[in-house]
Amino acid sequence: MAMYVVGHKIPDSDSICGAIALAYLKNQIGEAAIATRLGDVSPETQFILDTFGFEAPELKMSYAGEEVYIVDHTEKTQAPDDIDEATVVGVVDHHKLGDLTTSTPLECWIRPVGCSNTIIKMMYDFYGVEIPKNIAGLMLGAILSDTVIFKSPTCTTADIKCVEVLAEIAGIEDYKAFGMEMFKVKSAVEGTPARDLVMRDFKDFNMSGNLVGIGQLEVIDLAVFDDIKADLEADIAKLKEEGGRHSVFLLLTDIMKEGSQMLIASDDEGIVERAYGVAPEQSRVWLDGVLSRKKQVVPPLQDAFA
Amino acid sequence: MAMYVVGHKIPDSDSICGAIALAYLKNQIGEAAIATRLGDVSPETQFILDTFGFEAPELKMSYAGEEVYIVDHTEKTQAPDDIDEATVVGVVDHHKLGDLTTSTPLECWIRPVGCSNTIIKMMYDFYGVEIPKNIAGLMLGAILSDTVIFKSPTCTTADIKCVEVLAEIAGIEDYKAFGMEMFKVKSAVEGTPARDLVMRDFKDFNMSGNLVGIGQLEVIDLAVFDDIKADLEADIAKLKEEGGRHSVFLLLTDIMKEGSQMLIASDDEGIVERAYGVAPEQSRVWLDGVLSRKKQVVPPLQDAFA
């Protein structure tokens, strides 16, 4: 029986590229594996797939009765809905330990680094499997995305070293230029419906019993949002009601200015000041230096809810 | 700030030896670490410590505000009571994924092998740190204990290879003879109060909301229990009431005959037949071939409770 290798809902580049890279590795060491995905591929990810000549993995939502290798999350809200009816054989992740549990022993490759693909590279090294040129490109793209070309505070020396090795294998001389090209694709937001933008990189968290959704859009200039900010704000307010959420936050991240404007739809807007020490005005707040949802946005919010 | 490296409550040899071996490794790679323990050292573990010239790690029950590296579990029932007030920086484990969660990214070295010390050996290899002779001995003892000298179905080829390398480093020619010596120490139960025996290797599990305690005593001949079985049965009945548990099971494991007699104190004895397909008689049942609580006892019971 082949295992499925799958990232989180609303997959980002780390989830998609990681699933392909890890499924390849598993097949090389004699464990049959199929990469799948839990949702649509983002323009950024499509750009990476196209650049290195890959199709998107098969869309597959249900895993009851199957063996599953989980990529880039351990939160049940981000996992397949029927994950409790599947057998989780492994996890590769770089986030805090979430509420996923299993009924049998498994392998977990979890490290406090900037990207799951950096850990997948460690797995290739552990098993002594050579990384094909085009897969190295996928992994490189995922790491440059997750670390915001090394600007994110989640970026570690392990990620940087990994990118240097992968760029060599992939034959990419100027990987920072490749990263900027990728973020330019990501910054093309005009013409896209507000809901699609809000959901492009959106994660739900269970914070002390409150459902909290946090979306993030990383661009090279926040001016791209000037004409659509009101639409985005109307949409997160709607999203909050639809999902019975306590709050929905949307981070508009300027990767050049290195900070994020947070748009807020919340039952208790005061939670934002308690978390970050800055008072929102008109349900917006600028968080200077904040690039990472995982490291700079989620933990203080979680503490404020606790 | 030094991190504490600590195994589970009612520590077994894997928890104690693993804490010492991992703390040493962490110190070698420049991360200050102190091995601690959450309870008394068993006679078997004391034998291992004495053989290789170690003191037991410091007893420390509270970890609020501290950094903690968790060894050999991810179940909150087995962790320090105030683990939610500590920062869990890492986990090394070989069990199913439990309900421990964290609020920050961490490292998890979890593998489906027979012993946490086999994974700690992988960590030494990863960091390129040489294992000192006496620490190799500790790790060897833990692996021979957890795998019941390779007889347990939890034992993998990775454990066997690891033992062979560690025996070489520790300078132990006949490691199986060393293992038998260890199990002889473990089999010396006469004169020990029933409660001490029941609690010697006892773990609580949350099974679909029911608190279930499972103890295990591994000996080389079940005859050692002939005179004290009634005392043990009276004690597990008491323990069930004291802790508000649904059930307490005590496995008397004969490592030579390769099977376990299960003593039962339960609100619903039928759960045992539903789990293992064998009906208990007088609150006892022989489970042929059953050596591993983790692999052969817990999963069917969990399924029966679900």
Side-chain angles (χ1 to χ4, degrees):
Chain A
M1 186 169 86
M3 77 179 86
Y4 291 97
V5 183
V6 69
H8 51 74
K9 287 177 179 167
I10 311 173
D12 59 0
S13 297
D14 197 18
S15 275
I16 299 289
C17 301
I20 296 172
L22 181 53
Y24 177 85
L25 169 61
K26 283 289 177 182
N27 282 307
Q28 290 304 109
I29 60 172
E31 300 176 22
I34 299 162
T36 52
R37 62 186 162 94
L38 283 181
D40 291 342
V41 162
S42 76
E44 179 201 72
T45 306
Q46 192 61 53
F47 170 78
I48 301 175
L49 292 171
D50 290 345
T51 303
F52 300 105
F54 283 90
E55 297 285 319
E58 178 196 338
L59 180 72
K60 181 176 166 64
M61 302 307 284
S62 173
Y63 295 84
E66 306 287 0
E67 292 194 346
V68 182
Y69 206 112
I70 295 286
V71 175
D72 202 35
H73 68 290
T74 57
E75 304 280 344
K76 286 181 71 169
T77 51
Q78 297 167 19
D81 289 335
D82 56 1
I83 192 69
D84 282 339
E85 294 158 64
T87 303
V88 177
V89 296
V91 172
V92 55
D93 190 25
H94 65 121
H95 299 88
K96 69 195 182 70
L97 196 55
D99 56 359
L100 184 77
T101 60
T102 68
S103 54
T104 47
L106 76 169
E107 59 175 69
C108 294
W109 292 73
I110 302 176
R111 299 289 181 278
V113 295
C115 182
S116 295
N117 273 276
T118 300
I119 310 166
I120 293 172
K121 166 69 165 60
M122 294 177 195
M123 296 172 77
Y124 271 87
D125 292 345
F126 178 81
Y127 290 110
V129 171
E130 213 175 301
I131 305 177
K133 185 174 174 173
N134 55 352
I135 286 188
L138 289 183
M139 295 168 72
L140 174 77
I143 302 170
L144 291 173
S145 169
D146 261 19
T147 62
V148 192
I149 319 176
F150 307 160
K151 289 183 178 191
S152 171
T154 60
C155 186
T156 66
T157 51
D159 299 296
I160 297 171
K161 271 188 208 159
C162 186
V163 160
E164 283 165 357
V165 174
L166 292 172
E168 179 98 19
I169 298 170
I172 294 178
E173 266 176 57
D174 189 348
Y175 60 77
K176 288 199 178 181
F178 170 70
M180 274 307 287
E181 227 184 309
M182 204 173 70
F183 276 96
K184 262 178 217 157
V185 170
K186 206 170 187 171
S187 301
V189 297
E190 66 272 36
T192 310
R195 176 57 55 96
D196 290 8
L197 290 176
V198 170
M199 297 306 290
R200 186 169 280 174
D201 177 9
F202 186 87
K203 286 184 181 173
D204 272 318
F205 298 87
N206 180 342
M207 296 198 181
S208 303
N210 302 290
L211 187 61
V212 175
I214 310 177
Q216 184 171 27
L217 291 166
E218 293 163 323
V219 297
I220 50 179
D221 184 355
L222 285 198
V224 301
F225 296 117
D226 284 351
D227 295 339
I228 58 171
K229 209 171 279 181
D231 290 350
L232 293 171
E233 289 178 316
D235 194 70
I236 62 170
K238 223 187 291 173
L239 194 62
K240 177 178 110 49
E241 295 311 321
E242 286 166 17
R245 294 179 177 85
H246 177 284
S247 304
V248 172
F249 304 109
L250 183 63
L251 298 162
L252 306 179
T253 300
D254 189 319
I255 72 164
M256 304 311 288
K257 292 206 182 71
E258 306 196 7
S260 296
Q261 184 178 48
M262 177 185 259
L263 309 184
I264 302 160
S266 176
D267 287 343
D268 171 19
E269 213 165 276
I271 197 89
V272 172
E273 188 169 1
R274 291 199 295 283
Y276 309 107
V278 205
E281 281 177 41
Q282 294 178 296
S283 299
R284 300 175 180 182
V285 69
W286 172 254
L287 301 174
D288 205 46
V290 167
L291 292 172
S292 165
R293 172 172 51 195
K294 179 176 90 169
K295 202 152 182 170
Q296 298 169 295
V297 177
V298 171
L301 205 55
Q302 211 152 26
D303 290 347
F305 271 103
Chain B
M1 184 169 87
M3 77 180 86
Y4 292 97
V5 183
V6 69
H8 52 74
K9 285 178 179 167
I10 311 172
D12 59 0
S13 297
D14 197 18
S15 275
I16 299 291
C17 301
I20 297 172
L22 181 53
Y24 177 85
L25 170 62
K26 284 287 177 184
N27 283 308
Q28 289 304 109
I29 60 173
E31 302 175 21
I34 299 161
T36 53
R37 63 184 161 93
L38 284 181
D40 292 340
V41 163
S42 75
E44 179 203 71
T45 305
Q46 193 60 54
F47 170 78
I48 300 175
L49 292 170
D50 291 344
T51 303
F52 300 104
F54 284 90
E55 297 286 319
E58 179 197 336
L59 180 72
K60 178 175 170 65
M61 301 308 282
S62 173
Y63 295 84
E66 306 286 0
E67 291 194 347
V68 182
Y69 206 113
I70 295 286
V71 175
D72 203 34
H73 67 291
T74 56
E75 305 280 343
K76 288 181 69 168
T77 51
Q78 297 168 19
D81 288 335
D82 56 2
I83 192 69
D84 282 339
E85 294 159 64
T87 302
V88 177
V89 296
V91 172
V92 54
D93 190 26
H94 65 120
H95 299 87
K96 69 193 181 72
L97 196 55
D99 56 358
L100 184 75
T101 60
T102 68
S103 54
T104 47
L106 75 170
E107 60 175 67
C108 293
W109 293 72
I110 302 177
R111 300 288 181 279
V113 295
C115 182
S116 294
N117 274 275
T118 299
I119 310 167
I120 293 171
K121 167 69 164 59
M122 294 177 196
M123 296 173 76
Y124 272 87
D125 292 344
F126 177 82
Y127 291 109
V129 171
E130 214 175 303
I131 306 175
K133 184 174 175 171
N134 55 352
I135 285 189
L138 289 184
M139 296 168 73
L140 175 78
I143 302 171
L144 291 172
S145 169
D146 261 19
T147 62
V148 191
I149 319 175
F150 307 159
K151 288 183 180 192
S152 171
T154 61
C155 185
T156 67
T157 51
D159 300 297
I160 297 171
K161 272 188 206 159
C162 184
V163 160
E164 283 165 358
V165 174
L166 293 170
E168 179 99 18
I169 298 170
I172 294 179
E173 267 176 57
D174 189 348
Y175 60 77
K176 288 199 177 180
F178 169 69
M180 276 306 288
E181 228 183 308
M182 204 174 71
F183 276 96
K184 261 178 217 154
V185 171
K186 204 171 189 171
S187 302
V189 297
E190 66 272 37
T192 310
R195 176 57 56 96
D196 290 6
L197 290 176
V198 169
M199 296 307 290
R200 185 168 282 175
D201 175 10
F202 186 86
K203 286 184 182 173
D204 272 319
F205 298 86
N206 181 340
M207 297 198 179
S208 303
N210 302 290
L211 187 62
V212 175
I214 310 178
Q216 184 172 27
L217 291 165
E218 293 163 321
V219 297
I220 50 178
D221 184 354
L222 285 198
V224 300
F225 297 118
D226 284 351
D227 295 340
I228 57 171
K229 209 171 282 183
D231 291 350
L232 293 173
E233 289 177 317
D235 193 71
I236 61 171
K238 224 187 289 172
L239 194 62
K240 177 179 108 51
E241 296 310 320
E242 287 167 16
R245 293 178 179 86
H246 176 284
S247 303
V248 172
F249 304 108
L250 183 63
L251 297 162
L252 306 177
T253 299
D254 189 318
I255 72 163
M256 304 310 287
K257 291 205 181 73
E258 305 197 6
S260 295
Q261 183 178 50
M262 176 186 259
L263 309 184
I264 303 160
S266 177
D267 288 342
D268 170 19
E269 212 165 279
I271 198 88
V272 173
E273 188 170 1
R274 289 199 296 283
Y276 309 107
V278 205
E281 281 176 42
Q282 295 177 297
S283 300
R284 299 175 180 182
V285 68
W286 173 254
L287 301 174
D288 205 46
V290 168
L291 292 172
S292 165
R293 172 171 52 195
K294 178 176 87 167
K295 202 151 183 171
Q296 298 168 296
V297 177
V298 171
L301 205 55
Q302 211 152 23
D303 290 346
F305 269 104

